[in-house]
């Protein structure tokens, strides 16, 4: 009997050891691969990120689920959608920048909204993280978490920062995905305009490739400062957001192309100015406004529209935009 028990125990331990050796590394473990394996993974990751470019029909599905604060009543689910053209506007090999352009209105009179932007950086040293209020800070990525990983930095409609995180592209159960570390972000317009009790989200982002496009889903905890003034954050409610991108081009894609052709130089200068401020100050501080994001977002978008319609010269609009960023970040101490 003892011999049987010992044999069974050894077999169980061997099984556990084999499973541990063959299982994929946990998301928070350092990645250890040979040089050849890392190069192959790097190329595969690049192809995956680049595959998120194209023309899409998009569905935005946002649902508050579990209340963590007594007495809080979850909002009704919000479902919306539209058409989005995603373009690669920079690719240096280790950095890929994807610009989203939202096309609204009918076929004959479309209107293009410069939407969010996502920057992917291979093996980043630092990321620009949201610290609450009007403040983003450049923070180091843990050294053990850099090798083989990519950061994703998301920017608002005026190219001001929104949030950033780092993670690994990996295939699990046949599905290619990227999962971030825990990230903090300011309120989206859908919540900010309601003047809610919470003031930020803390969540995990996942990007996953599908046969017909890709999905971006968020597991967000909506947080607020504790009422005792301790500075601690307390959870209010859980939210799940699923943004689905299905390849589709039966809309006025040409309108998105024309908008970007007319305003690309302007937005390049705007991006450069935000980068300059972040580098000079170790981060960015800029006052927020619920309707648009930053206090200067509406004006920066108006200047782009003026270029598009011929009401303003690109050089003049660019100079005004740079001055707005300089003044806005100076007022906020950024």
């Amino acid at each position: 009997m003892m011999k049987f028990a010992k044999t069974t125990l050894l077999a169980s331990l061997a099984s556990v050891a084999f499973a541990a050796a063959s299982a994929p590394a946990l998301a928070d473990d350092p990645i250890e691969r040979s040089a050849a394996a890392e190069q192959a993974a790097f190329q595969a990751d690049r192809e995956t990120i680049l595959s998120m470019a194209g023309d899409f029909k998009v569905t935005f599905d946002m649902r508050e689920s579990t209340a963590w604060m007594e007495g809080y009543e979850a909002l009704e689910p919000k479902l919306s959608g539209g058409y989005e053209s995603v373009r690669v506007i920079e690719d240096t090999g280790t950095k890929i920048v994807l610009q989203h352009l939202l096309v609204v209105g009918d076929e004959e009179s479309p209107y293009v909204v410069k939407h969010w932007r996502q920057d992917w950086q291979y093996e980043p040293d630092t990321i620009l993280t949201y610290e609450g209020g009007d403040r983003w800070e450049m923070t180091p990525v843990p050294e053990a978490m850099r090798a083989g990983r990519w950061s994703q930095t998301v920017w608002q409609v005026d190219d001001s920062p929104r949030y950033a995180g780092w993670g690994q592209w990996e295939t699990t159960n046949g599905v290619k995905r990227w999962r971030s570390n825990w990230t903090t972000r300011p309120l989206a317009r859908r919540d900010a305009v309601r003047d809610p009790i919470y003031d930020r989200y803390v969540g995990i982002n996942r990007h996953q490739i599908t046969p017909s496009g890709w999905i971006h889903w968020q597991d967000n905890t909506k947080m607020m400062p504790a009422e005792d003034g301790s500075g601690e954050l307390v959870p209010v409610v859980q939210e799940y957001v699923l943004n689905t991108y299905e390849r589709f081009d039966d809309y006025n894609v040409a309108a998105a192309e024309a908008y970007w052709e007319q305003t690309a130089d302007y937005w390049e200068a705007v991006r450069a100015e935000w980068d300059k401020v972040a580098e000079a100050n170790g981060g960015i501080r800029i006052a927020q406004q619920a309707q648009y994001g930053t206090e200067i977002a509406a004006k920066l978008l108006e200047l782009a529209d003026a270029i598009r319609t011929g009401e303003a010269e690109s050089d003049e609009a660019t100079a005004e935009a740079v001055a707005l960023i300089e003044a806005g970040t100076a007022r906020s101490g950024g």
Side-chain angles (χ1 to χ4, degrees):
M1 184 71 176
M2 289 295 294
K3 182 178 180 181
F4 174 78
K6 183 177 180 181
T7 302
T8 303
L9 176 61
L10 290 173
S12 297
L13 290 173
S15 177
V16 171
F18 175 79
S22 59
L26 297 175
D28 295 329
D29 287 345
I31 299 173
E32 296 181 0
R33 293 189 283 236
S34 68
E38 183 55 45
Q39 182 61 25
F42 168 72
Q43 292 297 337
D45 292 349
R46 276 183 42 79
E47 292 174 9
T48 300
I49 294 167
L50 291 169
S51 75
M52 288 192 287
D55 302 309
F56 302 93
K57 183 176 183 179
V58 190
T59 302
F60 306 106
D61 189 347
M62 294 154 281
R63 300 172 183 267
E64 289 189 352
S65 58
T66 306
W68 302 120
M69 178 173 288
E70 185 176 356
Y72 181 87
E73 294 185 9
L75 298 174
E76 289 294 318
K78 182 176 181 180
L79 187 67
S80 62
Y83 305 111
E84 201 146 288
S85 295
V86 183
R87 296 294 180 262
V88 179
I89 63 170
E90 182 180 342
D91 181 2
T92 66
T94 56
K95 181 181 180 182
I96 299 172
V97 179
L98 303 177
Q99 177 63 60
H100 291 238
L101 301 165
L102 188 65
V103 181
V104 299
D106 57 35
E107 184 74 16
E108 289 71 29
S109 55
Y111 181 74
V112 178
V113 179
K114 180 183 170 296
H115 210 194
W116 62 295
R117 184 181 111 231
Q118 46 176 323
D119 293 6
W120 292 88
Q121 179 69 54
Y122 181 63
E123 297 188 344
D125 294 331
T126 59
I127 56 175
L128 192 60
T129 59
Y130 181 60
E131 300 294 331
D134 62 359
R135 186 163 54 96
W136 286 258
E137 289 187 359
M138 202 68 75
T139 57
V141 175
E143 188 171 354
M145 298 295 106
R146 297 174 189 173
R149 285 184 165 85
W150 294 76
S151 66
Q152 183 207 38
T153 304
V154 169
W155 307 83
Q156 305 192 86
V157 295
D158 63 345
D159 283 323
S160 63
R162 181 153 173 72
Y163 65 90
W166 47 263
Q168 176 186 359
W169 282 100
E170 59 184 348
T171 300
T172 305
N173 298 323
V175 178
K176 185 75 176 279
R177 71 164 189 177
W178 177 88
R179 193 201 78 176
S180 76
N181 63 324
W182 288 98
T183 66
T184 303
R185 72 186 77 186
L187 296 185
R189 178 181 176 276
R190 67 178 183 275
D191 286 329
V193 295
R194 296 175 50 249
D195 192 24
I197 58 173
Y198 45 81
D199 71 349
R200 73 198 73 187
Y201 315 131
V202 178
I204 287 178
N205 294 283
R206 292 174 175 85
H207 285 255
Q208 296 181 201
I209 306 304
T210 70
S212 56
W214 53 281
I215 61 172
H216 171 207
W217 62 286
Q218 307 166 27
D219 184 0
N220 296 328
T221 305
K222 296 181 176 181
M223 310 286 288
M224 64 177 283
E227 294 180 350
D228 61 10
S230 64
E232 295 293 320
L233 294 175
V234 295
V236 177
V237 64
Q238 201 69 20
E239 177 193 53
Y240 301 102
V241 177
L242 178 62
N243 300 328
T244 303
Y245 290 75
E246 295 284 341
R247 294 199 179 277
F248 181 82
D249 61 4
D250 192 16
Y251 64 96
N252 200 327
V253 173
E257 299 283 4
Y259 174 91
W260 195 248
E261 182 179 353
Q262 294 161 340
T263 64
D265 290 345
Y266 167 81
W267 287 117
E268 182 179 7
V270 168
R271 294 195 304 275
E273 185 60 25
W274 286 118
D275 288 346
K276 177 183 173 182
V277 171
E279 184 176 355
N281 298 284
I284 291 173
R285 294 191 70 171
I286 180 73
Q288 301 296 291
Q289 193 269 344
Q291 189 71 20
Y292 291 101
T294 71
E295 64 174 356
I296 61 174
K299 184 60 180 177
L300 292 179
L301 292 168
E302 288 172 7
L303 287 169
D305 277 342
I307 295 171
R308 182 183 58 83
T309 59
E311 298 173 26
E313 295 294 328
S314 181
D315 289 348
E316 295 176 0
T318 297
E320 185 173 350
V322 168
L324 284 168
I325 296 170
E326 290 177 348
T329 53
R331 283 194 300 271
S332 299

